[in-house]
Amino acid sequence: MNLDFTDKTVIITGGTRGIGAAIAQVFLKAGAQLLVTGTKDGNPKIQGLSDNNNIRYHQLDFSSDDSVNKFLDTVQKLKKIDVLINNAGVNKIESISNISSKDWDWINTINLKGPFLLTRAVSETMKKQNSGKIINVASIFGVISKEKRAAYSSTKWGLIGFTKAAALDMACFNVQVNAVSPGFVDTELTRKILGRKEIKSLTERIPQGRLAKPEEIANVVLFLCSDLNTYITGENIVVDGGFTSA
């Protein structure tokens, strides 16, 4: 299989831990040049990765106009952009009657406005190249939902809709735009939020009987961005071990 990303430039937002770090790892192994973002200043360690000359880090906080403008300026100076992974995201678990307008706006800014801003920026470069891949990391909560997920589900549903519309705008320029919707993934954050007891209960409801490994999500992203994918666009690929089908 041709999964060689040598000399290809890949942007990954929220790439310092969890699914984002796993995506960075698989692209790095495939030879890509990475521009990875996170909210911390400086040059934080990317989870699971040692220092590598093929990784460049840039601070990006979508809730800060100054931070966004600085990153967009960096993006616009890149000579080519082969892949954009809109992975950065936040959540607020709260009922619709209790969630504040401030938190609602915050979640929408990070999860939906952020991908829009970056997609708009890289689209110009990709159109000139007549090639490119864009992946929006959504969620099964953009397909189904549960209590206290109104804000989060709204953004992920919106991100899937945005993916389909952007794919249509970019199709004639040989740019494929897709969403990947993970189910429950075994990350440090998941273990912290759910706890051992809830994870055990949850895995009993997943047909494959376990949480996903972060690299299992990353491998789907890698395939969709590879030369093997020339005709899949506007799709939402659910990676959940059968959870939403059960």
Side-chain angles (χ1 to χ4, degrees):
M1 293 198 305
N2 183 16
L3 297 178
D4 184 6
F5 284 80
T6 303
D7 296 328
K8 290 192 175 183
T9 301
V10 178
I11 300 173
I12 305 171
T13 67
T16 60
R17 64 177 183 170
I19 293 172
I23 293 172
Q25 290 174 36
V26 297
F27 274 99
L28 194 65
K29 290 178 181 177
Q33 300 285 329
L34 305 185
L35 176 55
V36 174
T37 79
T39 56
K40 293 182 179 179
D41 288 322
N43 190 20
K45 294 291 183 182
I46 297 174
Q47 190 180 66
L49 293 177
S50 57
D51 292 337
N52 191 296
N53 292 332
N54 285 356
I55 302 176
R56 179 182 173 193
Y57 176 81
H58 199 292
Q59 191 269 349
L60 174 61
D61 180 356
F62 283 119
S63 64
S64 165
D65 289 340
D66 182 59
S67 176
V68 171
N69 289 333
K70 286 180 179 177
F71 186 68
L72 290 177
D73 184 58
T74 297
V75 168
Q76 288 163 358
K77 290 177 180 176
L78 294 174
K79 293 181 179 179
K80 70 185 184 83
I81 303 169
D82 298 289
V83 176
L84 168 65
I85 312 294
N86 286 310
N87 172 69
V90 293
N91 193 3
K92 179 72 174 181
I93 300 175
E94 188 58 88
S95 68
I96 190 61
S97 57
N98 291 329
I99 192 165
S100 67
S101 295
K102 181 180 179 180
D103 283 338
W104 179 275
D105 290 343
W106 171 65
I107 294 170
N108 274 271
T109 296
I110 308 300
N111 292 4
L112 196 50
K113 185 179 179 181
F116 153 68
L117 291 173
L118 282 187
T119 299
R120 184 176 65 178
V122 307
S123 66
E124 293 306 308
T125 300
M126 289 183 173
K127 284 161 66 175
K128 292 175 184 176
Q129 297 169 175
N130 200 44
S131 67
K133 314 281 188 181
I134 299 173
I135 301 293
N136 296 315
V137 179
S139 167
I140 57 169
F141 289 127
V143 179
I144 60 172
S145 196
K146 63 183 298 188
E147 67 277 3
K148 299 184 178 182
R149 299 300 195 283
Y152 185 72
S153 277
S154 295
T155 61
K156 295 304 184 178
W157 237 283
L159 189 58
I160 293 168
F162 173 72
T163 298
K164 293 180 179 295
L168 298 178
D169 287 343
M170 300 297 289
C172 61
F173 298 100
N174 191 35
V175 176
Q176 289 82 50
V177 186
N178 291 290
V180 172
S181 287
F184 299 98
V185 184
D186 188 7
T187 65
E188 182 180 340
L189 185 60
T190 298
R191 292 191 294 271
K192 181 179 179 181
I193 292 175
L194 297 182
R196 185 178 300 177
K197 185 177 180 180
E198 189 169 348
I199 287 177
K200 183 178 183 300
S201 174
L202 183 62
T203 56
E204 292 173 354
R205 296 161 52 203
I206 298 172
Q208 287 197 217
R210 62 177 177 83
L211 304 186
K213 299 175 183 177
E215 56 267 29
E216 290 178 300
I217 311 301
N219 286 336
V220 175
V221 173
L222 187 72
F223 163 74
L224 289 171
C225 295
S226 74
D227 292 338
L228 290 174
N229 174 29
T230 56
Y231 208 60
I232 300 172
T233 195
E235 294 299 323
N236 176 42
I237 310 299
V238 177
V239 190
D240 69 349
F243 182 82
T244 55
S245 297

